[in-house]
Amino acid sequence: MSSISQSEMLVGLDIGTSKVVAVVAEVTSDNSTEIIGLGIHPSRGLRNGVVVDIDSTTSAIKKSISEAESMAGCHISSCYVGISGSHIRGLNSEGVVPIRDGDVKYSDVDRVIETAQAMAIPADQRLLHVLPRDYIIDKQDGIKEPLGMAGSRLEAKVHLVTCSNNASQNIHKCVSACGLDVEGFVLEQLASSYAVLTKDERDLGVCLIDIGGGTTDIAVFVDGSISFTDVLPIAGDHVTNDIAEALRTPPTQAEDIKQQYGCAVSSLTRPDELMMVPGMGGRPERELSRQALADVLERRYVEIFSMAQQKLNISGFESLIPAGIVITGGASKVEGSTELAEEVFHAPVRLGSPQSISGFKEIINNPIYATAAGLLLYGRKKLQEDHLNYITRDKSVLNRISRWFGGNL
C-alpha cells in the first residue's frame, strides 16, 4: 500500500441511483488536487436518491471503494459523502447580534450564525449545511468576510439545507458497514458546484442543474454565494425507462441506446439515421430511426427543464442569473441537451465538467463525475478552512493571554 498519509488524501463517495463512484485524490505540495484512484460500480439500492436496499447499496460501496484502493495503492478509512433526494429542503434565514468589543471577532460570527440557524426544524429533519450568503455591519451590506471590521451590529444572511434523519442514517449505515468513517455529508449540487462553476459565474449569478440518475438537483448562486437549492424527483433513469417502454426493449439495452444514439432535439437528427434495437424476451432485433428515439428523449428533457424553470420562477431568482445555466451530471451529456435547455430557459447554457483538478482524463472534462470530483474539492477547502481557523483562533487566544499577563505582572 502507498505511504500517503490520511492528512494528504481526500476521498469522495458519490452514492447515486444508478452507480456508486469512489474517487481518491492526493493533495500535492503545491496544494493542488490530483486524482490517483477511481472505483465505479452499478447501484440498484437507491431510488430517487434514497436507500431502499441496504445490502445492495453496501455491496456497491464496498466494490467501488476496493477498486479505488487498488488503483491508488492506499487504504481508505474515511470519505466525504454526497447526499440528494426529494427529502432535501433549502431555505434562507437571517440573524442579528450586537458586536461586543467594537470589532468583529470569531465569537461574534459564531453567535450570529447560531442565531440565523435558530429555526424550527421538523423532528424528522436534520441540519445539513449552514451556508453564509452575506454579512451586514451597521446597515452596510455586501460584506463577505466581517472579521476585524468595526461596528456595533452584525447581521448574517444564510442558506440552510436540511435532510431527512432516516435518509442520512441509512446512508451512514451503509458507509459504516464498509468500515468507513463519514467526514461529512455534502449536498450533491453544492459539491458539483465546486467542480464545474467558475468564480466569475458564481459572482455574476448562475444556476447549476445537475441531472443524475434518480434526481435533478438545482442550485442558484448570487454574488458568489449559494442562495437557492431544490431537488426534482425526475432525471436520467426516467429517460431510460421511457426508451424501454417506447422501443419495447430491456432497460439495460435502453440505457446503452440512450448513451450511443441519444439526442434531446429531434430536429438535429435525420429520418434516414437508423439503429438496431434489441427485442424483449428473445425477440429479434428491429431497425428503427434515430429520430423516433429523439422524439422520446425530447419530451422528457423538455419536462425536466420546464420543471426546473418553474422552480426558478417561483423562487424569485430567475432574473438574478445573468451568467445563465450550467448543466452537469450523467444525463446532461446527451447530444442536444444544451440547445434544448437554451430554448426552455431563454438563457445561455453550457455543459459543466470538472475543473481545478488533475489526474485521470476520464474524470476531467466528463460531467458524469462532477459530484465525485466536487466532493474532493469541497474536502480540500474544508481542510484549508479548518487549518486557517485553527491558526487564527490559536493566535487570538495567545494574544489575549499575553495581554492578560501584561496587565497583571
Side-chain angles (χ1 to χ4, degrees):
M1 287 291 178
S2 171
S3 61
I4 300 172
S5 69
Q6 292 295 316
S7 61
E8 297 170 328
M9 187 174 72
L10 294 167
V11 181
L13 186 63
D14 177 13
I15 307 173
T17 302
S18 58
K19 66 185 181 306
V20 173
V21 179
V23 183
V24 185
E26 179 184 6
V27 179
T28 60
S29 57
D30 62 354
N31 205 36
S32 61
T33 307
E34 181 178 358
I35 296 172
I36 59 174
L38 171 67
I40 307 172
H41 197 271
S43 172
R44 295 292 179 266
L46 278 77
R47 182 172 297 125
N48 294 337
V50 176
V51 174
V52 294
D53 187 330
I54 286 182
D55 290 341
S56 176
T57 303
T58 301
S59 176
I61 293 172
K62 278 183 178 178
K63 289 174 181 176
S64 62
I65 289 290
S66 179
E67 288 177 15
E69 285 180 327
S70 297
M71 191 173 294
C74 64
H75 173 67
I76 296 174
S77 60
S78 62
C79 56
Y80 287 92
V81 180
I83 187 168
S84 184
S86 56
H87 59 93
I88 299 289
R89 298 287 183 271
L91 66 155
N92 292 325
S93 179
E94 300 180 10
V96 183
V97 297
I99 299 172
R100 287 175 173 167
D101 298 321
D103 294 332
V104 179
K105 297 178 176 59
Y106 271 107
S107 58
D108 298 308
V109 176
D110 289 342
R111 285 188 300 115
V112 78
I113 293 297
E114 287 177 9
T115 303
Q117 69 185 56
M119 297 186 65
I121 297 175
D124 62 343
Q125 293 278 112
R126 56 161 284 199
L127 192 60
L128 182 64
H129 293 296
V130 181
L131 304 169
R133 299 173 54 205
D134 195 15
Y135 292 97
I136 303 169
I137 297 177
D138 296 343
K139 298 184 179 180
Q140 174 61 54
D141 59 8
I143 299 170
K144 296 300 180 183
E145 181 48 77
L147 285 174
M149 298 188 69
S152 60
R153 172 188 167 99
L154 176 65
E155 300 176 53
K157 295 182 178 181
V158 302
H159 185 69
L160 305 178
V161 180
T162 67
C163 67
S164 162
N165 279 319
N166 292 336
S168 61
Q169 286 173 6
N170 285 331
I171 294 176
H172 198 286
K173 284 181 182 179
C174 296
V175 176
S176 296
C178 299
L180 302 172
D181 293 328
V182 177
E183 291 280 355
F185 285 110
V186 185
L187 183 67
E188 290 197 350
Q189 57 264 52
L190 176 63
S192 297
S193 73
Y194 279 86
V196 306
L197 296 182
T198 67
K199 183 180 184 302
D200 287 342
E201 286 174 329
R202 290 193 296 268
D203 289 344
L204 189 60
V206 68
C207 175
L208 173 69
I209 300 177
D210 188 340
I211 313 173
T215 62
T216 295
D217 305 327
I218 304 169
V220 174
F221 289 77
V222 178
D223 293 330
S225 302
I226 194 164
S227 301
F228 173 74
T229 54
D230 212 328
V231 178
L232 304 177
I234 178 173
D237 286 352
H238 296 81
V239 179
T240 300
N241 291 337
D242 289 346
I243 295 170
E245 292 178 7
L247 305 188
R248 299 191 299 278
T249 192
T252 53
Q253 301 296 332
E255 179 65 26
D256 292 340
I257 291 170
K258 180 179 72 175
Q259 294 184 15
Q260 188 173 357
Y261 300 106
C263 180
V265 181
S266 60
S267 62
L268 297 179
T269 63
R270 301 190 314 273
D272 60 346
E273 290 183 272
L274 302 177
M275 59 184 184
M276 298 304 296
V277 178
M280 293 281 285
R283 293 182 178 85
E285 290 186 322
R286 293 168 295 123
E287 191 175 64
L288 292 176
S289 74
R290 186 171 176 238
Q291 197 167 75
L293 173 65
D295 288 336
V296 175
L297 268 67
E298 184 170 351
R299 285 193 294 272
R300 182 63 80 172
Y301 274 91
V302 165
E303 181 183 14
I304 293 172
F305 292 140
S306 296
M307 288 177 68
Q309 196 272 340
Q310 185 178 26
K311 291 285 187 180
L312 275 178
N313 181 264
I314 293 172
S315 73
F317 288 100
E318 188 177 16
S319 62
L320 301 177
I321 51 171
I325 312 289
V326 176
I327 60 173
T328 192
S332 68
K333 287 184 65 178
V334 171
E335 180 188 347
S337 58
T338 55
E339 291 88 343
L340 183 62
E342 287 185 341
E343 289 183 18
V344 174
F345 289 101
H346 303 291
V349 179
R350 74 170 179 88
L351 186 64
S353 299
Q355 309 164 15
S356 305
I357 201 163
S358 60
F360 294 0
K361 290 184 179 179
E362 58 264 39
I363 293 180
I364 301 167
N365 298 324
N366 191 336
I368 290 177
Y369 301 110
T371 297
L375 288 168
L376 300 176
L377 296 172
Y378 176 92
R380 186 186 73 179
K381 185 171 185 290
K382 190 76 166 59
L383 288 176
Q384 292 171 342
E385 288 176 347
D386 289 347
H387 182 65
L388 180 62
N389 288 346
Y390 175 79
I391 292 174
T392 307
R393 289 175 189 263
D394 194 45
K395 186 182 295 183
S396 175
V397 171
L398 288 174
N399 287 340
R400 288 201 299 272
I401 292 173
S402 177
R403 286 197 300 272
W404 186 89
F405 277 112
N408 290 276
L409 290 179

